């Protein structure tokens, strides 16, 4: 599946360059309108990130997220600032299909274990962000010494099945995904689903990833730069479905 992405900051849809909050592009002042476009195109799934929430550690764009859920009938996944069971429960009650836990995977592994136990791997997706194969947390502001592979291994034992892997150095750059890293992780964790995020430029990148076993891809800037269309995303996703 190809997941088109909407990144939220201050109620607007933006794109960051390499995860830097001071290097952003306004995509749409009305994410609700974007969601309506995605709905009309029948893309089938949508990846949402609360950037303010990721930075501050708690939900910040709930009103907009609620509006997007009302406009979009497909599968909706959301990450950013999900650090406790109360927030997980709140978003699931709002109608979010899958919540993405990122920074808390490193900071609060017990919470992640509890969330997986309570809601299962269909509802709880793990976000692994970083560069040079090492994890970054708190809206990508802090780089750690923890290896992505070590963290995936640990959370897989707790029952996680789906991991969204973002190479921060590729995100928003249109330089192509870190195929080597993604394929290596997928081959290492064969019972898990590695989702590619960051740097995807066009349909050729998507096809190359899928040919090498990476079935799910998140697309942000390439969509808004006109390198891939909503119609093409819908076509790919309907063929999968």
């Amino acid at each position: 599946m190809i997941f088109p992405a909407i990144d939220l900051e201050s109620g607007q849809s933006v794109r960051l360059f390499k995860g830097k909050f001071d290097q952003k592009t306004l995509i749409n002042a009305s994410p609700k309108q974007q969601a309506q476009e995605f709905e009309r195109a029948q893309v089938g799934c949508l990846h949402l990130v609360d950037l303010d929430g990721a930075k501050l550690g708690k939900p910040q764009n709930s009103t907009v997220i609620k509006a997007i859920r009302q406009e979009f009938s497909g599968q909706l996944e959301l990450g950013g600032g999900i650090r406790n069971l109360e927030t997980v429960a709140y978003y699931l009650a709002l109608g979010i299909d899958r919540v993405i836990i990122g920074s808390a995977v490193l900071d609060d592994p017990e919470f992640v274990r509890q969330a997986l136990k309570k809601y299962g791997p269909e509802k709880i997706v793990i976000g692994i962000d970083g560069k040079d194969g090492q994890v970054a947390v708190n809206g990508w502001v802090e780089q750690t010494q923890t290896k992505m592979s070590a963290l995936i291994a640990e959370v897989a034992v707790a029952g996680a099945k789906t991991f969204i892997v973002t190479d921060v150095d590729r995100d928003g750059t249109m330089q192509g995904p870190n195929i080597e890293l993604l394929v290596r992780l997928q081959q290492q964790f064969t019972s898990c689903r590695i989702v590619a995020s960051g740097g995807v430029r066009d349909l050729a990148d998507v096809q190359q990833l899928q040919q090498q076993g990476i079935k799910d891809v998140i697309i942000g800037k390439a969509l808004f730069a006109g390198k891939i269309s909503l119609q093409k995303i819908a076509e790919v996703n309907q063929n999968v479905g």
Side-chain angles (χ1 to χ4, degrees), residues 31-118:
K32 177 181 175 179
Q33 186 184 3
Q34 261 183 292
Q36 290 169 339
E37 290 170 15
F38 290 179
E39 178 69 13
R40 281 195 297 272
Q42 297 182 305
V43 294
C45 55
L46 175 55
H47 174 84
L48 268 183
V49 180
D50 179 352
L51 292 173
D52 302 304
K55 200 157 59 167
L56 297 171
K58 56 186 178 182
Q60 297 295 314
N61 285 280
S62 299
T63 304
V64 180
I65 291 164
K66 196 180 291 185
I68 289 170
R69 176 71 285 182
Q70 288 167 351
E71 298 298 332
F72 187 76
S73 65
Q75 184 185 47
L76 189 56
E77 63 180 27
L78 168 71
I82 299 169
R83 310 280 170 90
N84 53 54
L85 287 172
E86 290 75 18
T87 306
V88 173
Y90 168 73
Y91 279 136
L92 292 177
L94 210 63
I96 302 301
D97 296 297
R98 310 199 302 189
V99 298
I100 304 159
I101 301 175
S103 299
V105 177
L106 204 59
D107 298 339
D108 191 355
E110 182 54 33
F111 151 57
V112 180
R113 280 193 289 271
Q114 288 174 358
L116 283 162
K117 187 176 180 182
K118 186 169 185 178

Coordinates of all heavy atoms in Angstrom, one line a residue, residues 31-118:
P31 N -6.0 21.2 6.1 CA -5.8 19.7 6.0 C -7.2 19.0 5.8 O -7.2 17.9 5.1 CB -5.2 19.3 7.3 CG -4.6 20.6 7.8 CD -5.5 21.7 7.4
K32 N -8.2 19.6 6.2 CA -9.6 19.0 6.0 C -9.9 18.9 4.5 O -10.4 17.9 4.0 CB -10.6 19.8 6.7 CG -12.1 19.3 6.5 CD -13.0 20.3 7.2 CE -14.5 19.9 6.9 NZ -15.4 20.7 7.6
Q33 N -9.5 20.0 3.8 CA -9.7 20.0 2.3 C -8.8 18.9 1.7 O -9.3 18.3 0.7 CB -9.3 21.4 1.8 CG -9.6 21.6 0.3 CD -9.1 22.9 -0.1 OE1 -8.5 23.7 0.6 NE2 -9.3 23.2 -1.4
Q34 N -7.6 18.8 2.2 CA -6.7 17.7 1.6 C -7.4 16.4 1.8 O -7.3 15.5 0.9 CB -5.4 17.7 2.4 CG -4.3 18.4 1.7 CD -3.0 18.3 2.5 OE1 -2.9 18.8 3.6 NE2 -2.1 17.5 2.0
A35 N -7.9 16.1 3.0 CA -8.5 14.8 3.3 C -9.7 14.6 2.3 O -10.0 13.5 1.9 CB -9.0 14.8 4.7
Q36 N -10.4 15.7 2.0 CA -11.6 15.5 1.1 C -11.0 15.1 -0.3 O -11.7 14.3 -1.0 CB -12.3 16.9 1.0 CG -13.1 17.2 2.2 CD -13.6 18.6 2.2 OE1 -13.1 19.5 1.5 NE2 -14.6 18.9 3.0
E37 N -9.9 15.7 -0.7 CA -9.3 15.3 -2.0 C -8.9 13.9 -2.0 O -9.1 13.1 -3.0 CB -8.1 16.2 -2.3 CG -8.4 17.7 -2.6 CD -7.1 18.5 -2.6 OE1 -6.0 18.0 -2.7 OE2 -7.3 19.8 -2.6
F38 N -8.3 13.4 -0.9 CA -7.8 12.0 -0.8 C -9.1 11.1 -0.8 O -9.0 10.0 -1.4 CB -7.1 11.8 0.5 CG -5.7 12.5 0.6 CD1 -4.9 12.4 1.7 CD2 -5.2 13.2 -0.5 CE1 -3.7 12.9 1.8 CE2 -4.0 13.8 -0.5 CZ -3.2 13.6 0.7
E39 N -10.1 11.5 -0.2 CA -11.4 10.7 -0.2 C -11.9 10.6 -1.6 O -12.3 9.5 -2.0 CB -12.4 11.4 0.8 CG -13.7 10.7 0.8 CD -13.7 9.3 1.5 OE1 -12.7 9.0 2.1 OE2 -14.7 8.6 1.4
R40 N -12.0 11.7 -2.3 CA -12.5 11.7 -3.7 C -11.7 10.8 -4.6 O -12.2 10.1 -5.5 CB -12.6 13.1 -4.3 CG -13.8 13.9 -3.8 CD -14.0 15.2 -4.6 NE -12.8 16.1 -4.6 CZ -12.7 17.1 -3.7 NH1 -13.6 17.2 -2.7 NH2 -11.7 17.9 -3.7
A41 N -10.4 10.8 -4.4 CA -9.5 10.0 -5.2 C -9.5 8.5 -4.8 O -9.0 7.7 -5.6 CB -8.0 10.5 -5.1
Q42 N -10.1 8.2 -3.7 CA -10.2 6.8 -3.2 C -8.9 6.1 -3.0 O -8.7 5.0 -3.4 CB -11.1 6.0 -4.1 CG -12.5 6.5 -4.2 CD -13.4 5.6 -5.1 OE1 -13.1 5.4 -6.3 NE2 -14.5 5.1 -4.6
V43 N -8.0 6.9 -2.3 CA -6.6 6.3 -2.1 C -6.7 5.2 -1.1 O -5.8 4.3 -1.0 CB -5.6 7.4 -1.6 CG1 -5.4 8.4 -2.8 CG2 -6.1 8.1 -0.4
G44 N -7.7 5.2 -0.2 CA -7.9 4.0 0.7 C -7.2 4.1 2.1 O -7.6 3.4 3.0
C45 N -6.1 4.9 2.1 CA -5.4 4.9 3.4 C -4.6 6.3 3.5 O -4.3 6.9 2.5 CB -4.4 3.8 3.6 SG -3.2 3.6 2.2
L46 N -4.4 6.7 4.8 CA -3.8 8.0 5.0 C -2.9 8.0 6.3 O -3.3 7.4 7.3 CB -4.9 9.0 5.2 CG -4.6 10.5 5.6 CD1 -3.6 11.1 4.6 CD2 -5.8 11.3 5.6
H47 N -1.7 8.6 6.1 CA -0.8 8.6 7.2 C -0.7 10.1 7.8 O -0.4 11.0 7.1 CB 0.6 8.2 6.7 CG 1.7 8.4 7.7 ND1 2.1 7.4 8.6 CD2 2.7 9.4 7.9 CE1 3.1 7.8 9.3 NE2 3.5 9.0 8.9
L48 N -1.1 10.2 9.1 CA -1.1 11.5 9.7 C -0.1 11.6 10.8 O 0.2 10.7 11.5 CB -2.5 11.7 10.4 CG -3.7 12.3 9.7 CD1 -4.8 12.4 10.7 CD2 -3.3 13.7 9.1
V49 N 0.6 12.8 10.9 CA 1.5 13.1 11.9 C 1.2 14.4 12.6 O 1.1 15.4 11.9 CB 3.0 13.1 11.4 CG1 4.0 13.4 12.5 CG2 3.4 11.8 10.7
D50 N 1.1 14.4 13.9 CA 0.9 15.6 14.7 C 2.3 16.1 15.1 O 2.9 15.6 16.1 CB 0.1 15.3 15.9 CG -0.1 16.5 16.9 OD1 0.5 17.5 16.6 OD2 -0.9 16.4 17.8
L51 N 2.9 17.0 14.3 CA 4.3 17.4 14.5 C 4.4 18.1 15.8 O 5.4 17.9 16.6 CB 4.8 18.3 13.4 CG 5.0 17.6 12.0 CD1 5.2 18.7 10.9 CD2 6.1 16.6 12.0
D52 N 3.4 19.0 16.1 CA 3.5 19.7 17.4 C 3.4 18.7 18.6 O 4.1 18.8 19.6 CB 2.3 20.7 17.5 CG 2.3 21.7 16.4 OD1 3.3 22.4 16.2 OD2 1.3 21.7 15.7
G53 N 2.6 17.7 18.4 CA 2.5 16.6 19.4 C 3.8 15.9 19.6 O 4.2 15.6 20.8
A54 N 4.4 15.6 18.5 CA 5.7 14.9 18.6 C 6.7 15.7 19.4 O 7.5 15.1 20.2 CB 6.3 14.6 17.2
K55 N 6.7 17.0 19.2 CA 7.7 17.9 19.9 C 7.4 18.1 21.4 O 8.2 18.1 22.2 CB 7.8 19.2 19.2 CG 9.0 20.0 19.4 CD 9.3 21.0 18.3 CE 8.2 22.0 18.1 NZ 8.7 23.2 17.3
L56 N 6.1 18.2 21.7 CA 5.6 18.5 23.0 C 5.2 17.3 23.8 O 5.0 17.4 25.1 CB 4.5 19.5 23.0 CG 4.9 20.9 22.3 CD1 3.6 21.7 22.1 CD2 5.9 21.6 23.2
G57 N 5.0 16.1 23.2 CA 4.8 14.9 23.9 C 3.3 14.7 24.3 O 3.0 13.8 25.1
K58 N 2.4 15.5 23.7 CA 1.0 15.2 23.9 C 0.2 15.8 22.7 O 0.7 16.7 22.0 CB 0.5 15.9 25.2 CG 0.8 17.4 25.3 CD 0.5 17.9 26.7 CE 0.8 19.4 26.8 NZ 0.5 19.9 28.2
P59 N -1.1 15.4 22.5 CA -1.8 15.8 21.3 C -2.0 17.3 21.2 O -2.2 18.0 22.2 CB -3.2 15.1 21.6 CG -2.9 13.9 22.4 CD -1.8 14.4 23.3
Q60 N -1.8 17.8 20.0 CA -1.9 19.3 19.8 C -2.8 19.7 18.7 O -3.1 20.8 18.6 CB -0.4 19.8 19.5 CG 0.6 19.6 20.6 CD 0.2 20.4 21.9 OE1 -0.1 21.6 21.8 NE2 0.3 19.8 23.0
N61 N -3.2 18.7 17.8 CA -4.0 19.1 16.7 C -5.3 18.3 16.6 O -5.7 17.9 15.5 CB -3.2 18.9 15.4 CG -2.1 20.0 15.2 OD1 -2.4 21.1 14.7 ND2 -0.9 19.7 15.5
S62 N -5.9 18.0 17.8 CA -7.0 17.1 17.9 C -8.2 17.6 17.0 O -8.9 16.8 16.4 CB -7.4 17.0 19.3 OG -6.4 16.4 20.1
T63 N -8.5 18.9 17.0 CA -9.6 19.4 16.3 C -9.5 19.1 14.8 O -10.5 18.7 14.1 CB -9.8 21.0 16.5 OG1 -9.8 21.2 17.9 CG2 -11.0 21.5 15.8
V64 N -8.3 19.3 14.2 CA -8.1 19.1 12.8 C -8.1 17.6 12.5 O -8.7 17.1 11.5 CB -6.7 19.7 12.4 CG1 -6.5 19.4 10.9 CG2 -6.7 21.1 12.6
I65 N -7.5 16.8 13.4 CA -7.5 15.3 13.3 C -9.0 14.8 13.2 O -9.3 13.9 12.4 CB -6.7 14.7 14.4 CG1 -5.2 15.0 14.2 CG2 -6.9 13.2 14.4 CD1 -4.3 14.8 15.4
K66 N -9.8 15.3 14.1 CA -11.2 14.9 14.2 C -11.9 15.3 12.9 O -12.7 14.4 12.3 CB -11.9 15.6 15.3 CG -13.2 15.0 15.7 CD -13.9 15.8 16.9 CE -13.1 15.6 18.2 NZ -13.8 16.2 19.4
A67 N -11.6 16.4 12.3 CA -12.2 16.9 11.1 C -11.8 16.0 9.9 O -12.6 15.6 9.0 CB -11.8 18.3 10.8
I68 N -10.5 15.6 9.9 CA -9.9 14.7 8.9 C -10.6 13.4 8.9 O -11.0 12.8 7.9 CB -8.4 14.6 9.0 CG1 -7.7 15.9 8.6 CG2 -7.9 13.4 8.1 CD1 -6.3 16.0 8.9
R69 N -10.8 12.8 10.2 CA -11.5 11.5 10.3 C -12.9 11.6 9.8 O -13.4 10.6 9.1 CB -11.5 11.1 11.8 CG -12.2 9.8 12.1 CD -11.6 8.6 11.6 NE -11.6 8.3 10.2 CZ -11.1 7.2 9.6 NH1 -10.5 6.3 10.4 NH2 -11.2 7.0 8.3
Q70 N -13.6 12.7 9.9 CA -15.0 12.8 9.4 C -15.0 12.9 7.9 O -16.0 12.4 7.3 CB -15.6 14.1 10.1 CG -15.9 13.9 11.5 CD -16.3 15.2 12.2 OE1 -16.1 16.3 11.7 NE2 -16.7 15.1 13.5
E71 N -14.0 13.4 7.3 CA -13.9 13.5 5.8 C -13.4 12.3 5.1 O -13.7 12.1 3.9 CB -13.1 14.7 5.4 CG -13.6 16.1 6.0 CD -15.0 16.4 5.5 OE1 -15.4 16.0 4.3 OE2 -15.7 17.1 6.2
F72 N -12.6 11.5 5.8 CA -11.8 10.4 5.2 C -12.3 9.1 5.7 O -12.2 8.8 6.9 CB -10.3 10.6 5.4 CG -9.5 9.6 4.6 CD1 -9.3 9.8 3.3 CD2 -8.9 8.5 5.2 CE1 -8.5 8.9 2.5 CE2 -8.2 7.6 4.5 CZ -8.0 7.8 3.1
S73 N -12.8 8.2 4.7 CA -13.4 6.9 5.2 C -12.4 5.8 5.2 O -12.7 4.7 5.6 CB -14.6 6.6 4.3 OG -14.1 6.4 2.9
G74 N -11.2 6.0 4.6 CA -10.2 4.9 4.5 C -9.5 4.6 5.8 O -9.8 5.2 6.9
Q75 N -8.5 3.8 5.7 CA -7.7 3.5 6.9 C -6.8 4.7 7.3 O -6.1 5.3 6.5 CB -6.7 2.3 6.6 CG -5.9 1.9 7.9 CD -4.9 0.8 7.6 OE1 -4.2 0.9 6.6 NE2 -4.9 -0.2 8.4
L76 N -6.9 5.1 8.5 CA -6.3 6.3 9.0 C -5.3 5.9 10.2 O -5.7 5.4 11.2 CB -7.3 7.3 9.5 CG -6.9 8.7 9.8 CD1 -6.1 9.4 8.7 CD2 -8.1 9.6 10.2
E77 N -4.0 6.2 10.0 CA -3.0 6.0 11.0 C -2.5 7.3 11.5 O -2.4 8.2 10.7 CB -1.9 5.0 10.6 CG -1.1 5.5 9.4 CD 0.0 4.5 9.0 OE1 -0.2 3.3 9.3 OE2 1.0 4.9 8.5
L78 N -2.1 7.4 12.7 CA -1.7 8.7 13.3 C -0.5 8.5 14.3 O -0.6 7.6 15.1 CB -2.9 9.3 14.0 CG -2.5 10.5 14.9 CD1 -2.2 11.8 14.1 CD2 -3.7 10.9 15.8
G79 N 0.5 9.4 14.1 CA 1.6 9.4 15.1 C 1.8 10.8 15.6 O 1.4 11.8 15.0
G80 N 2.6 10.9 16.6 CA 3.0 12.2 17.1 C 2.5 12.5 18.5 O 1.3 12.8 18.7
G81 N 3.3 12.4 19.5 CA 2.9 12.7 20.9 C 2.1 11.7 21.6 O 1.4 12.0 22.6
I82 N 2.2 10.4 21.2 CA 1.4 9.3 21.8 C 2.3 8.7 22.8 O 3.1 7.8 22.5 CB 0.9 8.4 20.8 CG1 -0.1 9.1 19.8 CG2 0.1 7.2 21.4 CD1 -0.5 8.3 18.6
R83 N 2.1 9.1 24.1 CA 3.1 8.7 25.1 C 2.4 7.9 26.3 O 3.1 7.6 27.3 CB 3.8 9.9 25.7 CG 4.4 10.8 24.6 CD 5.7 10.3 24.1 NE 6.2 11.1 22.9 CZ 6.9 12.2 22.9 NH1 7.3 12.7 24.1 NH2 7.3 12.8 21.8
N84 N 1.1 7.7 26.2 CA 0.5 7.0 27.3 C -0.8 6.3 26.8 O -1.3 6.6 25.7 CB 0.2 7.9 28.5 CG -0.6 9.2 28.1 OD1 -1.7 9.1 27.5 ND2 -0.1 10.3 28.4
L85 N -1.3 5.4 27.7 CA -2.5 4.6 27.3 C -3.8 5.5 27.1 O -4.6 5.2 26.3 CB -2.8 3.5 28.3 CG -1.8 2.4 28.3 CD1 -2.1 1.4 29.5 CD2 -1.9 1.6 27.0
E86 N -3.8 6.6 27.9 CA -5.0 7.5 27.8 C -5.0 8.1 26.4 O -6.1 8.2 25.8 CB -4.9 8.6 28.8 CG -5.1 8.2 30.2 CD -3.9 7.5 30.9 OE1 -2.8 7.6 30.3 OE2 -4.1 6.8 31.9
T87 N -3.9 8.5 25.8 CA -3.8 9.1 24.5 C -4.2 8.1 23.4 O -4.9 8.4 22.5 CB -2.5 9.7 24.2 OG1 -2.1 10.7 25.2 CG2 -2.4 10.5 22.9
V88 N -3.7 6.8 23.6 CA -4.1 5.8 22.7 C -5.6 5.6 22.7 O -6.2 5.5 21.6 CB -3.4 4.4 23.1 CG1 -3.9 3.3 22.2 CG2 -1.8 4.6 22.9
A89 N -6.2 5.5 23.8 CA -7.6 5.2 24.0 C -8.4 6.4 23.4 O -9.4 6.2 22.7 CB -8.0 5.1 25.4
Y90 N -7.9 7.6 23.6 CA -8.6 8.8 23.1 C -8.6 8.8 21.5 O -9.7 9.0 20.9 CB -7.8 10.1 23.5 CG -8.2 11.3 22.8 CD1 -9.5 11.9 23.1 CD2 -7.4 11.9 21.9 CE1 -9.9 13.1 22.5 CE2 -7.8 13.1 21.2 CZ -9.0 13.7 21.5 OH -9.4 14.8 20.9
Y91 N -7.5 8.5 20.9 CA -7.4 8.5 19.4 C -8.2 7.3 18.8 O -8.9 7.5 17.8 CB -6.0 8.5 18.9 CG -5.3 9.8 18.9 CD1 -4.0 10.0 19.4 CD2 -6.0 11.0 18.5 CE1 -3.4 11.3 19.4 CE2 -5.4 12.2 18.5 CZ -4.1 12.3 18.9 OH -3.5 13.6 18.9
L92 N -8.1 6.2 19.5 CA -8.9 5.0 18.9 C -10.4 5.3 19.0 O -11.2 5.0 18.1 CB -8.5 3.7 19.7 CG -7.1 3.2 19.4 CD1 -6.8 2.0 20.3 CD2 -6.9 2.9 17.9
A93 N -10.8 6.0 20.1 CA -12.2 6.3 20.3 C -12.7 7.4 19.3 O -13.8 7.5 18.9 CB -12.5 6.9 21.7
L94 N -11.7 8.2 18.8 CA -11.9 9.2 17.8 C -12.1 8.6 16.4 O -12.5 9.3 15.5 CB -10.7 10.2 17.8 CG -11.0 11.6 17.4 CD1 -11.9 12.3 18.4 CD2 -9.6 12.4 17.3
G95 N -11.8 7.3 16.3 CA -12.0 6.6 15.0 C -10.7 6.4 14.3 O -10.7 5.9 13.1
I96 N -9.5 6.7 14.9 CA -8.3 6.4 14.3 C -8.1 4.9 14.2 O -8.3 4.2 15.2 CB -7.1 7.1 15.0 CG1 -7.3 8.6 15.2 CG2 -5.8 6.8 14.4 CD1 -7.4 9.3 13.9
D97 N -7.7 4.4 13.1 CA -7.5 2.9 12.9 C -6.3 2.4 13.6 O -6.3 1.3 14.2 CB -7.6 2.5 11.4 CG -8.9 2.9 10.8 OD1 -9.9 2.3 11.2 OD2 -8.9 3.8 9.9
R98 N -5.2 3.1 13.4 CA -3.9 2.6 14.0 C -3.1 3.8 14.6 O -3.1 4.9 13.9 CB -3.0 2.0 12.9 CG -3.6 1.0 12.0 CD -2.6 0.1 11.3 NE -1.7 0.8 10.4 CZ -0.9 0.1 9.6 NH1 -0.9 -1.2 9.6 NH2 0.0 0.8 8.8
V99 N -2.6 3.7 15.8 CA -1.8 4.7 16.4 C -0.3 4.3 16.3 O 0.0 3.1 16.4 CB -2.2 5.1 17.8 CG1 -3.7 5.6 17.9 CG2 -2.1 3.9 18.7
I100 N 0.5 5.3 16.0 CA 1.9 5.1 15.9 C 2.7 5.6 17.1 O 2.6 6.7 17.4 CB 2.5 5.8 14.6 CG1 1.7 5.3 13.4 CG2 3.9 5.5 14.4 CD1 1.7 6.3 12.2
I101 N 3.4 4.7 17.8 CA 4.1 5.0 19.0 C 5.6 5.2 18.5 O 6.2 4.2 17.9 CB 4.0 4.0 20.1 CG1 2.5 3.9 20.5 CG2 4.9 4.4 21.3 CD1 2.2 2.8 21.5
G102 N 6.2 6.3 18.8 CA 7.6 6.6 18.4 C 8.5 6.7 19.5 O 9.1 5.8 20.0
S103 N 8.7 8.0 20.0 CA 9.7 8.2 21.1 C 9.5 7.4 22.3 O 10.5 7.0 22.9 CB 9.6 9.7 21.5 OG 9.9 10.6 20.3
A104 N 8.3 7.1 22.7 CA 8.0 6.3 23.9 C 8.6 4.9 23.8 O 8.7 4.2 24.8 CB 6.5 6.3 24.2
V105 N 8.8 4.4 22.6 CA 9.4 3.1 22.4 C 10.7 3.0 23.2 O 11.0 2.0 23.8 CB 9.6 2.7 20.9 CG1 10.2 1.3 20.8 CG2 8.2 2.7 20.2
L106 N 11.5 4.1 23.1 CA 12.7 4.1 23.8 C 12.6 4.6 25.3 O 13.2 4.1 26.2 CB 13.7 5.0 23.1 CG 15.2 4.8 23.2 CD1 15.6 3.4 22.8 CD2 16.0 5.8 22.4
D107 N 11.7 5.6 25.4 CA 11.6 6.3 26.7 C 10.8 5.5 27.7 O 11.0 5.7 28.9 CB 11.0 7.7 26.5 CG 11.9 8.6 25.7 OD1 13.1 8.3 25.6 OD2 11.4 9.6 25.1
D108 N 9.8 4.8 27.3 CA 8.8 4.2 28.2 C 8.4 2.8 27.6 O 7.2 2.6 27.2 CB 7.6 5.1 28.4 CG 6.7 4.6 29.5 OD1 6.9 3.5 30.0 OD2 5.7 5.3 29.8
P109 N 9.3 1.8 27.6 CA 9.0 0.5 27.0 C 7.8 -0.2 27.6 O 7.1 -1.0 27.0 CB 10.3 -0.3 27.1 CG 11.1 0.5 28.1 CD 10.7 1.9 28.0
E110 N 7.6 0.1 28.9 CA 6.5 -0.6 29.6 C 5.2 -0.2 29.1 O 4.3 -1.0 28.9 CB 6.6 -0.3 31.1 CG 5.5 -1.0 32.0 CD 5.4 -2.5 31.8 OE1 6.5 -3.1 31.5 OE2 4.3 -3.0 31.9
F111 N 5.0 1.1 28.8 CA 3.8 1.6 28.2 C 3.6 1.0 26.8 O 2.4 0.6 26.5 CB 3.9 3.2 28.0 CG 3.1 3.7 26.8 CD1 1.8 3.5 26.7 CD2 3.8 4.4 25.8 CE1 1.0 4.0 25.6 CE2 3.1 4.9 24.7 CZ 1.7 4.7 24.6
V112 N 4.6 0.8 26.0 CA 4.5 0.2 24.7 C 4.0 -1.3 24.9 O 3.1 -1.8 24.1 CB 5.8 0.2 23.9 CG1 5.7 -0.4 22.6 CG2 6.2 1.7 23.7
R113 N 4.6 -2.0 25.8 CA 4.2 -3.4 26.1 C 2.7 -3.4 26.5 O 2.0 -4.3 26.0 CB 5.1 -4.0 27.2 CG 6.4 -4.5 26.7 CD 7.1 -5.4 27.7 NE 7.6 -4.6 28.8 CZ 8.8 -4.0 28.9 NH1 9.6 -4.1 27.9 NH2 9.1 -3.3 30.0
Q114 N 2.3 -2.5 27.3 CA 0.9 -2.5 27.8 C 0.0 -2.2 26.6 O -1.1 -2.8 26.5 CB 0.7 -1.4 28.9 CG 1.4 -1.8 30.2 CD 1.3 -0.7 31.2 OE1 0.8 0.4 31.0 NE2 1.8 -1.0 32.4
A115 N 0.4 -1.2 25.8 CA -0.5 -0.9 24.6 C -0.6 -2.0 23.7 O -1.7 -2.3 23.2 CB 0.1 0.3 23.9
L116 N 0.5 -2.8 23.4 CA 0.4 -3.9 22.5 C -0.5 -5.0 23.1 O -1.2 -5.7 22.4 CB 1.8 -4.4 22.2 CG 2.6 -3.6 21.2 CD1 4.1 -3.9 21.3 CD2 2.1 -3.9 19.8
K117 N -0.3 -5.2 24.4 CA -1.1 -6.3 25.1 C -2.6 -5.9 25.1 O -3.4 -6.8 24.8 CB -0.6 -6.4 26.5 CG -1.2 -7.6 27.3 CD -0.6 -7.8 28.6 CE -1.2 -8.9 29.4 NZ -0.7 -9.1 30.8
K118 N -2.9 -4.7 25.3 CA -4.3 -4.3 25.4 C -5.0 -4.2 24.0 O -6.2 -4.6 23.9 CB -4.4 -2.9 26.1 CG -5.8 -2.5 26.4 CD -5.9 -1.3 27.3 CE -7.3 -0.9 27.7 NZ -7.4 0.2 28.6

